[in-house]
Amino acid sequence: KNQVEQSPQSLIILEGKNCTLQCNYTVSPFSNLRWYKQDTGRGPVSLTIMTFSENTKSNGRYTATLDADTKQSSLHITASQLSDSASYICVVSDRGSTLGRLYFGRGTQLTVWP
Amino acid sequence: EADIYQTPRYLVIGTGKKITLECSQTMGHDKMYWYQQDPGMELHLIHYSYGVNSTEKGDLSSESTVSRIRTEHFPLTLESARPSHTSQYLCASNRNGASGEQFFGPGTRLTVL
């Protein structure tokens, strides 16, 4: 069964600190993995995309890693800001269907305190 | 910000009412999607469309219906709302191509009393 599991479920950190969010997936055949940020009351917005051959990709203070062998990904946030408070969702796409089906994790709810 | 819009943003209605959630995108995307999201849970696909006059049911059984008469417009209708329909509804779109990024609207928070 294609699944995406994220940990931790929630996380509280102080402003300026770093944190790492985890994503494990069983989706096959794998096409790509995206990390989305979803602010409260808003739709998700894509932060990074990782394809099979990519190990690391950065977008400002966000750095995503992918280990396609172990089917794990992480999202590292550096020097957190209050605006980073949001839900971070790991989304894996398969290439076995015309639709390009997406499989969503439940998200990690990050709260950054001043 | 993606050019995809949803109205209303919030809706509180009584049981038995008919409602239509609007979704429009100005990016010319062929594919459009409706997702249902409950707090702390993953998004569930309830409807999708490959293009005009194409609609399909998603993974999650839903009593809603959709239509795609124009490329930019993908409304979702509930003929008779029930409290179990209380949820957040997200609309998304992307270009053809299996790995294309989906762009999401801001969502409609529906509460059925």
Side-chain angles (χ1 to χ4, degrees):
Chain A
K1 182 180 177 181
N2 290 322
Q3 286 185 311
V4 178
E5 302 286 344
Q6 291 188 243
S7 62
Q9 183 177 351
S10 61
L11 181 62
I12 300 174
I13 61 174
L14 295 177
E15 187 178 13
K17 299 296 186 181
N18 305 334
C19 66
T20 300
L21 315 180
Q22 301 290 344
C23 174
N24 297 335
Y25 63 92
T26 60
V27 177
S28 182
F30 175 86
S31 176
N32 60 69
L33 183 150
R34 291 182 186 271
W35 284 92
Y36 279 83
K37 178 185 179 187
Q38 184 176 22
D39 293 312
T40 301
R42 307 291 298 180
V45 176
S46 179
L47 293 174
T48 64
I49 177 173
M50 307 287 290
T51 58
F52 188 85
S53 59
E54 295 175 307
N55 300 119
T56 303
K57 183 172 285 187
S58 292
N59 177 8
R61 295 180 296 103
Y62 301 105
T63 299
T65 66
L66 175 66
D67 186 332
D69 292 330
T70 61
K71 298 186 177 181
Q72 295 179 326
S73 175
S74 67
L75 180 69
H76 186 75
I77 304 175
T78 304
S80 61
Q81 300 176 357
L82 298 180
S83 59
D84 291 334
S85 294
S87 178
Y88 291 83
I89 303 172
C90 178
V91 184
V92 181
S93 176
D94 76 9
R95 55 181 172 82
S97 65
T98 305
L99 179 64
R101 179 61 55 85
L102 300 185
Y103 297 89
F104 293 83
R106 294 186 175 186
T108 292
Q109 183 64 48
L110 175 66
T111 303
V112 181
W113 283 1
Chain B
E1 289 269 331
D3 295 322
I4 181 164
Y5 310 97
Q6 290 185 244
T7 57
R9 293 293 315 281
Y10 303 93
L11 181 60
V12 181
I13 60 169
T15 297
K17 299 293 185 182
K18 177 181 178 179
I19 61 167
T20 296
L21 308 185
E22 301 288 348
C23 176
S24 295
Q25 50 94 7
T26 58
M27 297 173 282
H29 289 169
D30 293 305
K31 293 181 180 177
M32 295 190 74
Y33 311 81
W34 275 103
Y35 292 91
Q36 189 172 337
Q37 184 184 31
D38 293 314
M41 302 296 289
E42 63 268 45
L43 277 71
H44 290 287
L45 181 67
I46 52 175
H47 296 283
Y48 60 95
S49 168
Y50 286 115
V52 172
N53 294 325
S54 154
T55 61
E56 301 286 345
K57 288 190 178 294
D59 303 319
L60 185 67
S61 175
S62 175
E63 293 164 349
S64 59
T65 59
V66 292
S67 63
R68 190 88 184 275
I69 299 173
R70 303 198 315 264
T71 298
E72 62 271 20
H73 197 212
F74 192 39
L76 180 146
T77 298
L78 275 168
E79 290 293 333
S80 180
R82 295 206 301 270
S84 61
H85 296 138
T86 295
S87 189
Q88 165 125 331
Y89 293 84
L90 290 163
C91 180
S93 71
N94 69 344
R95 294 184 185 87
N96 279 331
S99 61
E101 174 186 355
Q102 288 193 12
F103 296 89
F104 287 85
T108 294
R109 169 69 63 185
L110 173 65
T111 301
V112 184
L113 303 177

